[in-house]
Amino acid sequence: MIVLKFGGTSVGSAPAQRNVIEIVRTRLNKKPVVVVSALSGVTDMLYKAAQGGEGLQDVIKDLKDRHFSLIRELIQQDRRLCIQTQKDVETFIDFVEKTASSATELSDRDKAAIISTGELMSSVIVRAALCCNGIPAARIDARDFIIATGDPLKSEPDTDEINERTPDAVNGAFDGLTPEGERPQAVVTQGFICSSGSGKPSLLGRGGSDYSASLIGRALEVEAVEIWTDVDGVRTADPRRVPTTRCLKRISYEEAAEMAHFGAKVLHPLTLEPAKTIDIPVYVLNTKNPDGECTVILNKDKVTEPVKSVSYKNNILVITLSPRQSMNTAGFIKRIFDIFSEYRIAVDLISTNNARVSITTDSCQKNLDKALEAAGEFAFACIDEGKAQISAIGSNAIIMNSILKMTFKPLRDSKIYMISPGASSVNISFVVDREKMDETLRETHKYLIENESCN
Ligand code: ASP
Ligand code: MG
């Protein structure tokens, strides 16, 4: 068996979905389990719908236009299937409209239910498109087997439950019949969405479809997980910001996780964890260029070439805290981090100076205001929004040395506000002014990756 995960841009237009169909066709002998994201942009629309209030009607109209025109374009050859698919999608959109207008302030569960419809709708369309093109396919609901607990909008997977339920759900679908009465050659399901053990709707957090694919791959012990996206593999930097990137052909699970954590947009940071437990290779490929370059992510024993890359985060806050009264440094830091841990604030970089501590964190942290209010009792907080964080990532401690040397050289002209070598010793990150980010990224990439002779 094989898991093929298609992201929002891969399923978001008729030409892209035609590529998806051909990619699935070449893998039919491997029993493909197709995991899909919502059409690109739809999850954002649904988050907006879940806010309720003004603008809901516009979102509903956009959702209809977007899905119906895709259905008409893709499934037109089969009138009956086209009408049925439209009906199924309409039921989901009606649900969104009804739920979103049912209360002024929706619960997180209701929001999760609304947002889940993006993946449910795209899976209905992808299944129909496969069938319409001669690939009988069954659709299963990921909420029956991806079980997760905690925050409904960002739940933690219960891997024991998932490992137990997924094989039955998938094998059952392959052994059953499609709604058209045929034996399925592919099974389609949704990424990102899950449910609590008692069946309440929840989500794995933004970008979570990759994570779903890996969880499903692990549960089925598949031969490979393929993540189909819109770039040629994992690159040495974001190609939209650095024009001269290279594809990384083989990287280890740890390196890929580090890159994702430090801002590389290709994979959700937790994707590799399930695959790694039983050494399933994870491929990153481009739906628009299926025969182009790709990356395979493997156990580190199988990766010999040193890997280097540069990533960034531009939505960070640098928060500097200093004690209101003189206090010993260790005691102060402990109190600060107790609060961050209580409010579940994910801290990226840390540096301390005398009794002051500076940290970086994503600007969209849910409870940040509350945490800072609690810290305000004994600390002054200074928040700087105008900064960006750049991380140079290399595969071992030797590379680390040259990264340090190289990282500083091209940066002589940039003011560096904070620098923090990663505890795992495969990365080093620094904070610069946001306006300097693109330039610094390109310079660092040039020095670290393009000019091999400087290393
Ligand atoms: N559709 C979800 C999102 O946009 C999940 C995903 O695509 O991975 O965050
Ligand atoms: Mg994604």
Side-chain angles (χ1 to χ4, degrees):
M1 237 181 236
I2 186 167
V3 168
L4 311 177
K5 181 259 165 177
F6 294 97
T9 46
S10 303
V11 292
S13 69
Q17 277 213 26
R18 289 198 189 99
N19 289 351
V20 168
I21 293 162
E22 293 322 307
I23 291 162
V24 174
R25 203 188 301 284
T26 57
R27 282 146 173 87
L28 290 180
N29 59 345
K30 296 185 173 165
K31 285 185 117 177
V33 179
V34 178
V35 178
V36 296
S37 286
L39 313 189
S40 50
V42 164
T43 305
D44 288 338
M45 291 185 203
L46 291 166
Y47 269 89
K48 210 164 144 212
Q51 298 301 328
E54 272 173 50
L56 177 62
Q57 285 316 316
D58 291 342
V59 178
I60 296 295
K61 184 178 173 305
D62 289 350
L63 286 171
K64 285 189 179 158
D65 287 350
R66 188 71 203 284
H67 290 90
F68 292 171
S69 62
L70 182 63
I71 294 170
R72 277 194 298 272
E73 212 179 323
L74 263 176
I75 310 168
Q76 56 191 348
Q77 309 96 291
D78 186 334
R79 228 182 98 70
R80 216 188 48 79
L81 189 58
C82 186
I83 293 169
Q84 184 59 45
T85 308
Q86 196 150 328
K87 252 199 203 148
D88 292 345
V89 165
E90 194 157 25
T91 311
F92 288 120
I93 299 180
D94 288 346
F95 169 82
V96 171
E97 188 172 8
K98 202 168 127 239
T99 314
S101 44
S102 66
T104 28
E105 183 76 40
L106 293 178
S107 68
D108 283 353
R109 252 336 143 197
D110 283 339
K111 287 184 183 163
I114 288 177
I115 297 161
S116 302
T117 58
E119 270 64 16
L120 291 165
M121 294 189 282
S122 76
S123 65
V124 166
I125 299 176
V126 169
R127 188 205 80 84
L130 288 168
C131 293
C132 196
N133 285 279
I135 304 176
R139 188 177 80 96
I140 51 176
D141 191 325
R143 293 170 302 181
D144 293 337
F145 52 92
I146 302 294
I147 305 303
T149 55
D151 183 350
L153 299 173
K154 199 171 189 303
S155 297
E156 310 257 345
D158 177 340
T159 42
D160 289 341
E161 276 292 321
I162 295 172
N163 290 344
E164 198 177 308
R165 294 192 192 200
T166 309
D168 289 346
V170 172
N171 292 326
F174 271 116
D175 293 341
L177 295 177
T178 68
E180 293 75 25
E182 286 173 289
R183 177 73 65 208
Q185 292 182 27
V187 169
V188 180
T189 190
Q190 309 80 23
F192 180 51
I193 71 172
C194 47
S195 72
S196 70
S198 57
K200 301 214 176 71
S202 12
L203 306 169
L204 291 178
R206 287 312 300 264
S209 291
D210 299 338
Y211 195 18
S212 305
S214 178
L215 287 163
I216 294 171
R218 158 74 186 87
L220 297 171
E221 301 185 11
V222 295
E223 67 179 84
V225 171
E226 295 183 353
I227 307 281
W228 287 88
T229 170
D230 53 3
V231 286
D232 288 332
V234 178
R235 325 245 352 137
T236 49
D238 183 342
R240 285 162 301 189
R241 297 209 178 246
V242 180
T244 46
T245 59
R246 276 209 306 260
C247 173
L248 295 163
K249 298 245 156 54
R250 296 159 82 83
I251 56 179
S252 69
Y253 296 118
E254 290 78 8
E255 286 154 355
E258 194 92 357
M259 290 169 70
H261 181 76
F262 285 97
K265 303 277 181 300
V266 204
L267 288 177
H268 179 282
L270 295 173
T271 307
L272 283 322
E273 273 181 23
K276 187 178 151 183
T277 58
I278 52 166
D279 271 8
I280 300 172
V282 176
Y283 292 81
V284 177
L285 310 107
N286 188 350
T287 309
K288 286 192 216 124
N289 185 16
D291 302 321
E293 289 179 312
C294 72
T295 300
V296 55
I297 306 169
L298 300 156
N299 188 305
K300 62 177 177 300
D301 302 343
K302 299 192 184 120
V303 182
T304 48
E305 325 77 279
V307 167
K308 283 175 290 180
S309 70
V310 185
S311 53
Y312 68 92
K313 283 187 180 176
N314 58 1
N315 57 345
I316 62 151
L317 299 175
V318 178
I319 304 174
T320 302
L321 297 135
S322 44
R324 285 187 185 273
Q325 283 171 357
S326 79
M327 200 188 276
N328 80 45
T329 312
F332 178 65
I333 293 174
K334 177 176 181 307
R335 282 184 77 179
I336 296 287
F337 281 93
D338 282 349
I339 290 178
F340 284 162
S341 129
E342 185 184 334
Y343 288 95
R344 312 197 76 182
I345 305 297
V347 172
D348 244 353
L349 309 183
I350 308 171
S351 82
T352 59
N353 171 2
N354 216 348
R356 278 217 319 236
V357 42
S358 296
I359 59 125
T360 65
T361 180
D362 271 346
S363 56
C364 41
Q365 297 272 345
K366 216 169 157 193
N367 293 321
L368 190 60
D369 288 350
K370 286 189 200 141
L372 291 178
E373 199 184 309
E377 275 183 26
F378 61 95
F380 292 111
C382 168
I383 302 178
D384 196 339
E385 298 184 347
K387 303 284 181 282
Q389 176 180 318
I390 292 183
S391 303
I393 299 163
S395 50
N396 59 37
I398 302 163
I399 288 181
M400 180 77 180
N401 278 340
S402 56
I403 286 182
L404 257 175
K405 254 190 351 228
M406 287 182 290
T407 314
F408 282 113
K409 201 160 171 202
L411 293 179
R412 262 188 219 132
D413 301 333
S414 294
K415 204 162 163 207
I416 298 178
Y417 293 89
M418 205 171 144
I419 182 144
S420 170
S424 53
S425 92
V426 295
N427 90 81
I428 180 160
S429 301
F430 45 91
V431 173
V432 297
D433 283 314
R434 198 180 281 158
E435 308 86 78
K436 283 264 184 180
M437 185 184 87
D438 280 356
E439 184 192 328
T440 316
L441 259 179
R442 285 193 293 267
E443 276 301 304
T444 311
H445 187 267
K446 191 149 109 201
Y447 202 82
L448 194 70
I449 290 148
E450 292 162 59
N451 281 348
E452 290 283 317
S453 57
C454 297
N455 306 357

